[in-house]
Amino acid sequence: MAQVTVYTTTTCPYCVMAKNFLRAQGIPFREVNVELDPKAARRLVETTGQMGVPQIEINGRWVLGYDPETIIALWNEANHR
C-alpha cells in the first residue's frame, strides 16, 4: 500500500480539506505539521522547493495544494504497480 504524508500548518483551510478528502476516500495518511516542526519545514522546502501547504507525498511523488484528482491518480497508480 502507498505511503501518504500530508504536510500542514495549524491554520491552513486547504490542509483541512485535503485531510478530510483523504479520510473520506479511506486513504490512510501521516500528518506532519511544519509549523510545529521547523526541521520538517526546512526538509520540505529543500525537497520540493515550495513553501506552501498542503503538500502531499504519495510514495515519493508530490501534490502541491488541495488537488483531489491528482491525489486519487497518484494513489491509484501507487497501489496498482
Side-chain angles (χ1 to χ4, degrees):
M1 181 175 287
Q3 299 294 311
V4 179
T5 304
V6 182
Y7 294 87
T8 67
T9 62
T10 305
T11 58
C12 167
Y14 292 102
C15 297
V16 173
M17 292 169 61
K19 292 184 293 184
N20 287 341
F21 176 77
L22 291 167
R23 287 184 191 108
Q25 299 300 312
I27 298 173
F29 64 91
R30 179 174 74 95
E31 179 178 2
V32 176
N33 185 321
V34 296
E35 193 174 355
L36 304 175
D37 187 343
K39 288 182 183 178
R42 279 193 301 278
R43 282 193 312 269
L44 186 63
V45 173
E46 289 169 3
T47 301
T48 68
Q50 301 290 326
M51 292 177 58
V53 290
Q55 291 191 52
I56 303 164
E57 182 181 14
I58 303 172
N59 271 20
R61 307 241 343 247
W62 291 91
V63 180
L64 177 59
Y66 175 61
D67 184 348
E69 289 180 11
T70 303
I71 292 168
I72 289 297
L74 292 179
W75 173 257
N76 288 336
E77 180 183 309
N79 285 298
H80 291 102
R81 288 184 178 185

